Amino acid sequence: MREELGFDELLDDGGLIARLLGRTAAGRKRELLYGPDLPVVLLVGGPGMGKGRLLRCVRDRFGPRVPVAYLDCALSDCREQAEQRPGSRSDVTEALRLIALQYGDWAGDGGKIAVPRLYAGLAAVAASDRLAHVAPLVDEVGRLGSLLPPKSFWRGVLMGAANNYLGFLGGLVTTPLAGPFINALLDGLFARLSPEGRSALTEGYGDYPGAGGNPQAGLRSLGGDFQQGGEARRIAEGFLFRALRQDVDAAYSSVRGRLSRVGRPALLLDHADNSLGRRLLKPALEDRERGHHDRLVVFATARREDGGRFLHRAGGPAAETARWEPFTGALPDWSRPPGGVPDHAPLWRGVLLVRMPVLTRDQQKAELSRLRGGQEQPDTAVRLRIHSGVHRLSGGRPLFVTRLGEAAAALRFPAPEDCTDWTLLDARVPAGDDEGRRVADRPVADVLIDELVACQRPEELPPEHRAHWLDLLTHLSVAHDVECAQTLMRAVQEGRDDQLSAYLIADLMEDSGWPRCPRHFIGDLGLRRLLTRRLHLLRPGGAAWHTDHALLQGHYRDLGNDHPDPLFRTAGAHRMHHLLASDGADLVTRYLAGTFLTRPLTDWCEELLSIADAALIGVADDRYAHALGEIHVHGDTRRRLIDRLLHAVWLTEDRTQPLDETVPGALRGPLRGLSEELARIADEAVRDQGPEGADVARAAEGAALLVRMAREWGDRAEDKQPLQRCGCTEHIGFG
């Protein structure tokens, strides 16, 4: 995948990133956007949208021009390092140390960024563990020495204080514990500080709660709060992040910095909606709300469209968060909303949400052509079908587009009618190389499931459910509302002591960045197709697929055909949907023929659309032949017309293949034929009841409705739009 795919406007010389950083990727100056009060820029979008890829682009392209630090908050490195010394480290302190090391390695204009304030705070934390032995404490302080440039004043002062104390204890120690170590460390430090050094530490730690302007007392309290844990540790960690930002600011505001540094530094936090990211972002947002402004441009990623629940107090208006989408033609005009009360204001006030861009149709086509490279191009009909299939499945998600493009590039060119979505998903991704070991080809659907689901489990998913999370979602690919999903979950998890409810799964899916759809439990069309395919292959002969549909048929049969259903109008229609998906159309045609004259026709048409929104997988597709009347169906004219109509609607709503040009006509024909049936019934009723009879009016209205439906449904099919609006196909169409 090209790293810059879809990011042209964000990365160009006049884009949001260059204006925030004040430098282009080529090093030219740009007028700074915003300031001195800066927003945290949250890049939002679900799996496969390229959030981490964009951060890597910023690091690689702008990193040589301005100081940039990158941290993936989802990795376990910081947690594992903290667990080695829980009394003097946490995942936040380890994260701050890694960030500071990257600023200390900066080799561009102005040189390395020293972090003495952060160093002093981390040294106080490292020295505050009263249960540790002397030597490990001194080693822990010494480990922090890499944060300061060699031969710098600060390195000499801080390391000297620690070493002097170690020598002192070497002659006098009477106990292996070192309770007074932090006192001696701080006493030695402040005895050696110049007035400028004392001022620097006073600026940060003099404001610590209870310090009263005394930085030494502030550092002592910070170490004690860290040891206390809980909310006290959170406050200490927040002050350490503030100290780091103050160090970065000082590198720019000093005399040397003003002469040599240009633009603004950046901090890139991937997966910032995870626990570590939230613990970094929250105090920074609170500081800026209180007026502690800094010049650090924070780019962070979050999967939820609202940036994550941690930004919004309970019941808070998430809709008020400032939002911007690339390709709107203008940069966002952000300022902090007036009227905030520090310590009580919601965090969203300091955030700019940037929605990750989906690839346009033209960008998708260009990427598919690039991936095919110098290979022979398929004929136009096949190429169009591949393009439309990729568009339908991907919805413009860059990872989806690239993986499907890689698979399509390896396909032998089938006939156009064979190039369905299932063909694309079955195509195998070319073999790669893993540290010199050959990797076997795999179906692209399996690769995408690994990348989008298996490798991105929700953070709050209980550990006992991690092993079967993918299997649960796979079964849910056939579910619609939560009641339908919960019916499946009870059966699939039967016998387990710990069970996940469909209600919690829906919440976890939303936190993972997957969209919701009122008509489908798995609200993303591409993900639903991946899981549908996996369900059909889960057991030989599609047994798991048929079992799940049979289970739901039984559930809605037990409710009774006329039981109200929020999505299908009746439980009978909901049952028919699962029957159509698993066992074919014959019984469904019989059901629709039986309700044609007993249901209000508006309701009947809505039930028909809901029933026909079913996937066809694992069997030969004879729907075109049925829709065109080429297969003989037993029964009267009405039943044959309904069979044709059902199959035409099924083709239109299935969306696993582009529509043939015959489909609009196949929709209009049977609807008009059924309208003629109703007109004939109306004529017979006139003879029997007279022109004012109730049956006459009902049949006449129905005949007119079906004529109108024939026009509307045919027009929608010609425009390659679904007949029934749905959240997961709203912006996709058929291609």
Side-chain angles (χ1 to χ4, degrees), residues 49 70 80 102 162 185 211 217 237 242 305 312 404 416 435 442 450-451 486 496 526 582 584 636 703 718:
M49 289 298 295
Y70 171 90
E80 291 170 357
Q102 293 177 68
L185 177 70
E237 291 170 339
R242 181 194 293 183
E305 290 292 322
H312 312 281
L404 292 174
E435 298 179 357
R442 299 177 62 204
D450 281 351
E451 293 179 325
Q486 185 65 5
R496 282 202 187 118
S582 180
D636 58 14
E718 284 184 347

Side-chain angles (χ1 to χ4, degrees), residues 176 489 500 533 636 727:
M489 288 299 94
L500 272 182
R533 176 187 175 278
D636 58 14

Side-chain angles (χ1 to χ4, degrees), residues 54-102:
L54 177 57
L55 292 189
R56 292 192 295 273
C57 284
V58 174
R59 179 189 62 190
D60 296 341
R61 297 186 60 170
F62 292 87
R65 308 302 176 186
V66 295
V68 172
Y70 171 90
L71 181 72
D72 187 344
C73 301
L75 297 181
S76 59
D77 303 39
C78 293
R79 174 177 53 80
E80 291 170 357
Q81 288 288 327
E83 288 172 351
Q84 295 177 13
R85 295 280 180 85
S88 53
R89 302 177 192 171
S90 71
D91 53 351
V92 171
T93 63
E94 288 302 295
L96 294 175
R97 185 180 68 86
L98 292 177
I99 292 167
L101 286 172
Q102 293 177 68

Side-chain angles (χ1 to χ4, degrees), residues 480 519 567-568 570-581 584-585 587-589 591-592 595 603-615 646 649-650 653 724:
H480 295 88
R519 301 199 62 84
L567 296 181
F568 290 77
T570 64
H574 201 153
R575 178 167 66 90
M576 288 299 112
H577 166 86
H578 294 289
L579 185 65
L580 181 65
L587 292 176
V588 179
T589 300
Y591 170 87
L592 289 169
T595 57
D603 294 353
W604 187 87
C605 289
E606 289 185 9
E607 285 193 6
L608 169 63
L609 293 181
S610 298
I611 290 170
D613 177 21
L646 171 63
V649 173
W650 192 5
E653 295 298 86
Q724 187 175 54

Side-chain angles (χ1 to χ4, degrees), residues 652 659-669 710 713-715 717-719:
T652 309
L659 289 181
D660 190 90
E661 61 184 10
T662 61
V663 170
L667 281 169
R668 294 185 180 109
W713 289 7
D715 289 349
E718 284 184 347
D719 290 340

Side-chain angles (χ1 to χ4, degrees), residues 87-143:
S88 53
R89 302 177 192 171
S90 71
D91 53 351
V92 171
T93 63
E94 288 302 295
L96 294 175
R97 185 180 68 86
L98 292 177
I99 292 167
L101 286 172
Q102 293 177 68
Y103 290 136
D105 288 339
W106 167 247
D109 295 342
K112 302 176 185 295
I113 293 180
V115 290
R117 296 165 182 81
L118 175 65
Y119 182 101
L122 291 178
V125 166
S128 64
D129 186 355
R130 295 182 175 272
L131 299 179
H133 292 260
V134 174
L137 284 179
V138 176
D139 288 345
E140 189 68 8
V141 173
R143 172 177 175 263

